[in-house]
Amino acid sequence: MQQTAKAATVPVIVLLGAPGAGKGTQAQRLVERYGMVHVSTGDMLRAAVAAGTELGRLAKQYMDAGALVPDEVVIGIVRERLMSADVQERGVLLDGFPRTLAQAEALAEVLPGVNLPSPTVVDLKVSDDELVERLSTRRMCRSCGAIYNLRYDGLDVGDACPKCGGEVYQRDDDKPEAIRERLRVYHAQTAPLIEYYRQRGQLVEVEASGTPEEVGEVVMAALVRPVGG
Ligand code: AMP
């Protein structure tokens, strides 16, 4: 009984949106503000690739091509992560998961099983032209995963990360060929989740073409309103 009461109080938020919509950037802001655990499937898979694990070797071939890693693999790593004590204590912000209907359905099944409430789903809306521009100018820290943009932050490949001193680099899948494929995959497989969550009354839609600060304000304001309000 006690566990159920506690579960209802921890936040479960899903950040939906195309690649480049600002999921990772807004996730960093939200976890700093509210303290929930940031679970990014992209970050987990990149860590597995860097560590050269079996999962990493499997995932790399899909990621480099801009394709999705198979559902059962991603669902398995998320399920395990949601069972850990920090998520149970602080709640979770899911960034980059779910990305297919099968993943959304798996999440709906897993959450009650680990005593967590249904998610509030924030869809970050950005035009395709702006997505391509953002992805091609995006840079990332190889050590701490902080996300930068050449246009706003003036940081480029080889610079030192202002947060941790690590090396700033450009993700392989942020190069033109992979960007096109990732947007195609997003429209075919992930965009249908908008309707899925709208029908379930769990969706909050946010116009996300502004600066990270502007979008952050709108996201936080939207999260304190009741869903659908
Ligand atoms: P991201 O950092 O979220 O853009 O993810 C980078 C890449 O990791 C994606 O293009 C996919 O290849 C893979 N990936 C991340 N999350 C998922 C997911 N939920 N389902 C399948 N593949 C994923």
Side-chain angles (χ1 to χ4, degrees), residues 19-20 23 40-43 45-46 59 62-64 66-71 74 78 95-100 103 138 140 171 173 182:
K23 298 187 295 296
S40 157
T41 42
D43 284 352
L45 293 168
R46 276 185 290 279
Y62 296 97
M63 295 171 79
D64 284 352
L68 294 184
V69 174
D71 283 334
V74 183
V78 171
D95 156 12
F97 181 94
R99 255 173 156 106
T100 63
Q103 293 178 17
R138 175 160 72 180
M140 197 176 214
R171 284 169 45 173
D173 60 356
R182 288 163 70 207

Side-chain angles (χ1 to χ4, degrees), residues 41-136:
T41 42
D43 284 352
M44 290 164 89
L45 293 168
R46 276 185 290 279
V49 171
T53 63
E54 198 180 320
L55 167 67
R57 277 194 296 277
L58 172 90
K60 187 174 173 12
Q61 47 186 323
Y62 296 97
M63 295 171 79
D64 284 352
L68 294 184
V69 174
D71 283 334
E72 61 276 17
V73 174
V74 183
I75 290 167
I77 60 175
V78 171
R79 180 185 287 121
E80 199 181 307
R81 189 69 185 86
L82 291 181
M83 291 188 325
S84 55
D86 56 349
V87 170
Q88 297 285 316
E89 284 293 319
R90 289 153 48 200
V92 65
L93 187 145
L94 287 164
D95 156 12
F97 181 94
R99 255 173 156 106
T100 63
L101 278 172
Q103 293 178 17
E105 280 162 3
L107 180 66
E109 246 183 67
V110 167
L111 287 171
V114 293
N115 259 320
L116 290 168
S118 301
T120 298
V121 179
V122 179
D123 182 37
L124 299 174
K125 296 190 170 305
V126 177
S127 73
D128 272 14
D129 284 349
E130 174 67 15
L131 293 172
V132 172
E133 180 71 28
R134 284 188 188 179
L135 289 169
S136 48

Side-chain angles (χ1 to χ4, degrees), residues 156-196:
D156 207 349
V157 174
D159 289 342
C161 170
K163 288 196 180 147
C164 78
E167 182 202 0
V168 171
Y169 80 117
Q170 181 178 30
R171 284 169 45 173
D172 281 341
D173 60 356
D174 280 346
K175 307 211 167 130
E177 191 95 325
I179 290 177
R180 272 193 296 277
E181 178 60 10
R182 288 163 70 207
L183 289 182
R184 193 193 64 72
V185 167
Y186 167 77
H187 286 293
Q189 295 190 258
T190 309
L193 296 186
I194 298 171
E195 200 45 44
Y196 173 93

